[in-house]
Amino acid sequence: MALALRLGATGDGALGENIRLFPGRPVATARPRQRILLSPPSLVGGELASLDHTLASGWIAPAGPVPEAFEAAIRAATGTEQGLAVSSGTAALHLGYRVLGVERGDEVWTSTLTFVATIAPAVQMGARPRFLDVTADSWTLDPDMLETRLRQAANKGKLPRAVVPVDLYGQSCDLDAIVTLCGRWGVPVLCDSAEALGAEYHGRPVGKGAALAAFSFNGNKIITAGGGGALVSDDAGLIARARHLATQAKETAPHYQHETTGYSYGLSSVLAAVGLAQIGALQDRVAARRAVFARYALRLSDLPGIAFMPEPGWGRSSRWLSVLTVDPARFGTSREQVRQALDAAGVESRPVWKPLHLQPAFRGAAFHGNGVSGHLFDRGLCLPSGAMLPEEQDRVIDTIRACYRG
Ligand SMILES: *Cc1c(COP(=O)(O)O)cnc(C)c1O
């Protein structure tokens, strides 16, 4: 029986085509109008060859030459000295919290405008989250607010165990400012760069500069291994410790010896083979996502009340997702009405992340606000940003234009 995988667009724009791993009936050429998804996985072309090579080698466990080659490619893409490939971005963050020594009762500070996985592992470890707001010109952690709060916390003798800024939607946070501030008080920085592989900060790749940075190769990210993640650092000790914990914390002995408990977080060679093929096309993917963003901006920026996520001077976003904001007073239609119109036209779009301080899961957590994240949640909309045919992107653009009530 043929095994069919429903995949997103490939480079030549075959959105939603059925691709067969094994010979079967020929792929149908006529295809119905497909729903346009936010960020579907798409193949670069080398995956089958990479899988074939891996399976034929017999090295399919989460060890051996393929994960090692993938780690080398991750180090090269991020300019870091050390990299550990793991089973998810969330696992990478969890290991980051472990090696930074997060314990029950510790505080961990992060940007409120992010996906739940940024903080979930720390909360599960018994840490108490403190959420800080973002700046309007970057949508990432506000360094001035961080400085004020760090000074107050130092005076009270209650500094956080870690500060976790987020590179949002492919846009780097102001990492040097954050690392300098945290360094003043000896607080390590774990950067959640899950959405920003391939982006740049002050001309260097995102991932460099913090004590640790975490990446994701989930199916919706800019490149995928079909699931996976990575933890990178310039500190060999931190990554060695994370690697030990990721593989059940086995001590060197002929029998099974454990000084502590770890996790089964290794990345299968089978998935690493897919990731290895994909990471070779990273800069093509960044260029494609930036072109999608540029086309939205060109065709929609003239509309009153429509604005796009800014790109501060310090960085070059990967534009993992194209995000705009809708001012209902000037556009004549609310963000939610635009989302529903897109849905009716067969287009997936999503509100900007619901700030974590508004999530029932973190009710009662400390929060320092300036109004920006709440405003972005009310008005922000993420648009389809993966590989698309021009006529598919036109469908998104035309639907949004038709919502304008001048
Ligand atoms: C995707 C994502 C993660 C989690 O990555 P997984 O590989 O899905 O576990 C963490 N943080 C952010 C900001 C993300 O977007």
Side-chain angles (χ1 to χ4, degrees):
M1 202 182 72
L3 175 62
L5 288 180
R6 248 204 53 133
L7 294 155
T10 56
D12 58 18
L15 187 83
E17 202 104 310
N18 283 334
I19 296 182
R20 288 168 200 285
L21 283 181
F22 303 113
R25 280 172 289 119
V27 175
T29 43
R31 57 199 163 91
R33 189 165 110 143
Q34 296 278 356
R35 193 168 159 79
I36 303 172
L37 300 176
L38 206 61
S39 184
S42 56
L43 298 183
V44 300
E47 290 87 351
L48 276 180
S50 183
L51 278 168
D52 193 47
H53 181 81
T54 301
L55 295 176
S57 78
W59 286 91
I60 58 171
V66 182
E68 276 170 27
F70 188 40
E71 286 176 352
I74 292 164
R75 289 197 302 272
T78 58
T80 51
E81 304 282 323
Q82 302 287 329
L84 169 67
V86 291
S87 54
S88 72
T90 310
L93 288 159
H94 189 187
L95 291 167
Y97 287 124
R98 262 299 287 268
V99 298
L100 293 180
V102 170
E103 286 179 5
R104 185 163 297 281
D106 284 347
E107 282 203 11
V108 173
W109 296 7
T110 190
S111 157
T112 189
L113 193 64
T114 184
F115 181 51
V116 66
T118 302
I119 200 70
V123 170
Q124 288 153 1
M125 292 164 77
R128 284 181 297 131
R130 183 176 293 269
F131 300 118
L132 277 66
D133 221 314
V134 298
T135 67
D137 61 0
S138 75
W139 300 16
T140 62
L141 185 66
D142 183 342
D144 292 335
M145 178 179 282
L146 177 65
E147 179 170 17
T148 307
R149 295 297 156 187
L150 279 172
R151 184 168 293 119
Q152 287 181 358
N155 288 341
K156 287 190 211 151
K158 286 180 70 177
L159 283 164
R161 179 67 62 185
V163 167
V164 189
V166 179
D167 296 331
L168 198 77
Y169 297 130
Q171 169 63 58
S172 169
C173 63
D174 192 1
L175 188 68
D176 287 352
I178 292 166
V179 167
T180 302
L181 280 173
C182 289
R184 205 181 292 163
W185 285 286
V187 177
V189 174
L190 164 59
C191 194
D192 184 348
S193 302
E195 301 175 357
L197 185 69
E200 285 179 7
Y201 174 71
H202 285 311
R204 65 180 198 242
V206 156
K208 195 147 173 90
L212 292 159
F215 291 95
S216 167
F217 306 110
N218 191 335
N220 66 353
K221 297 303 201 283
I222 192 158
I223 63 152
T224 183
L231 191 65
V232 302
S233 178
D234 285 338
D235 183 329
L238 286 178
I239 295 297
R241 177 108 186 107
R243 191 180 296 280
H244 178 68
L245 291 167
T247 49
Q248 304 284 21
K250 288 182 213 125
E251 301 299 330
T252 320
H255 60 276
Y256 288 95
Q257 176 78 12
H258 306 275
E259 303 291 335
T260 183
T261 61
Y263 315 93
S264 182
Y265 279 169
L267 181 68
S268 158
S269 293
V270 179
L271 296 180
V274 176
L276 194 53
Q278 289 246 322
I279 203 167
L282 177 62
Q283 284 310 321
D284 293 345
R285 283 289 164 85
V286 172
R289 298 245 172 185
R290 287 184 63 89
V292 164
F293 178 91
R295 196 151 180 270
Y296 281 132
L298 184 71
R299 303 271 306 278
L300 293 170
S301 290
D302 62 304
L303 291 169
I306 295 290
F308 283 85
M309 181 175 181
E311 187 177 39
W314 67 63
R316 185 171 181 275
S317 175
S318 69
R319 298 295 188 191
W320 170 58
L321 292 186
S322 290
V323 193
L324 53 68
T325 55
V326 181
D327 175 355
R330 295 175 61 220
F331 191 61
T333 307
S334 71
R335 187 283 314 278
E336 188 52 18
Q337 287 167 321
V338 173
R339 193 192 66 75
Q340 285 168 9
L342 286 167
D343 189 50
V347 176
E348 182 188 24
S349 66
R350 289 241 186 193
V352 161
W353 297 125
K354 180 172 179 172
L356 297 184
H357 72 275
L358 300 176
Q359 295 287 1
F362 307 121
R363 202 180 281 113
F367 166 60
H368 306 285
N370 58 18
V372 177
S373 59
H375 179 84
L376 292 173
F377 177 55
D378 288 341
R379 297 187 173 186
L381 191 65
C382 303
L383 302 177
S385 307
M388 266 180 291
L389 298 171
E391 51 268 38
E392 289 170 324
Q393 194 175 5
D394 288 345
R395 201 202 310 170
V396 183
I397 290 165
D398 294 345
T399 306
I400 295 171
R401 292 202 73 90
C403 290
Y404 176 55
R405 303 279 174 270

